Amino acid sequence: MASPATRDEERPSLTLRRRFDATPDKVWRAWTEPQALKQWFGPEEIVSVPVAEVDLRIGGGFRVVMVAADGERHEVSGLYREIVPDRKLVFSWSWVTTPERVSRVTVLIEPAGRGSELTLKHEDFFDEAARDGHNHGWTGSMVKLQGILGGANAN
């Protein structure tokens, strides 16, 4: 079993970048509107998102419930820490099954030609296994989001 990073060690993180054939406001709405989140949130094994709640204000929260093909439910929630419309979201991230493991997600959206570039940074993971699992989840989610908005992998 992996041990968590200590306070003196840097905790694991991941960064993903994607380009979308959509304006920053459309990418923003995909992240902040519940009906939009239901269309793309979760990796390929997620077959439905029956719950997506968003209270888009500093201190407001979000909650997403995803259902996998095998019927397993996954619930994540967090609080919004920073909001710059069409440009930046910062929020905490915690699974209902491990509420003590709070990490931080930063989503940056920048204009890029006729589209946008999104940088997602997820920081302060409990351990490398948690980071690796989230890398799988976010990578799959970005594939779904690109299917809706159009675009190509950046890295």
Side-chain angles (χ1 to χ4, degrees), residues 102-120:
V102 179
S103 54
R104 182 177 66 246
V105 176
T106 300
V107 176
L108 299 172
I109 305 166
E110 298 179 10
R114 294 182 199 214
S116 305
E117 182 171 287
L118 179 140
T119 302
L120 180 143

Side-chain angles (χ1 to χ4, degrees), residues 45-48 50 65-75 97:
E45 61 270 17
I46 297 301
V47 295
S48 72
V65 176
M66 300 165 275
V67 179
D70 64 4
E72 187 174 357
R73 292 173 59 94
H74 305 275
E75 182 176 336
T97 55

Side-chain angles (χ1 to χ4, degrees), residues 78-99:
L79 298 175
Y80 292 106
R81 303 294 187 205
E82 187 176 348
I83 299 169
V84 180
D86 299 340
R87 295 291 182 260
K88 185 177 186 181
L89 274 179
V90 179
F91 50 90
S92 62
W93 178 273
S94 179
W95 294 100
V96 71
T97 55
T98 53

Side-chain angles (χ1 to χ4, degrees), residues 18-153:
R18 298 292 184 268
R19 291 188 67 109
F20 296 101
D21 296 333
T23 58
D25 65 303
K26 288 182 180 176
V27 177
W28 175 262
R29 287 194 305 268
W31 281 89
T32 60
E33 293 181 358
Q35 290 306 316
L37 281 168
K38 287 181 176 185
Q39 295 178 30
W40 67 269
F41 209 83
E44 63 275 359
E45 61 270 17
I46 297 301
V47 295
S48 72
V49 179
V51 178
E53 300 169 348
V54 174
D55 180 9
L56 190 62
R57 61 184 174 84
I58 302 298
F62 74 92
R63 178 174 160 256
V64 178
V65 176
M66 300 165 275
V67 179
D70 64 4
E72 187 174 357
R73 292 173 59 94
H74 305 275
E75 182 176 336
V76 67
S77 62
L79 298 175
Y80 292 106
R81 303 294 187 205
E82 187 176 348
I83 299 169
V84 180
D86 299 340
R87 295 291 182 260
K88 185 177 186 181
L89 274 179
V90 179
F91 50 90
S92 62
W93 178 273
S94 179
W95 294 100
V96 71
T97 55
T98 53
E100 72 284 0
R101 293 185 181 189
V102 179
S103 54
R104 182 177 66 246
V105 176
T106 300
V107 176
L108 299 172
I109 305 166
E110 298 179 10
R114 294 182 199 214
S116 305
E117 182 171 287
L118 179 140
T119 302
L120 180 143
K121 186 167 189 178
H122 197 151
E123 303 172 273
D124 298 329
F125 287 111
F126 179 75
D127 57 22
E128 290 182 6
R131 181 208 48 215
D132 294 348
H134 283 81
N135 186 49
H136 168 76
W138 284 123
T139 298
S141 292
M142 292 298 103
V143 168
K144 287 181 178 179
L145 186 55
Q146 286 173 319
I148 293 168
L149 297 176
N153 288 344

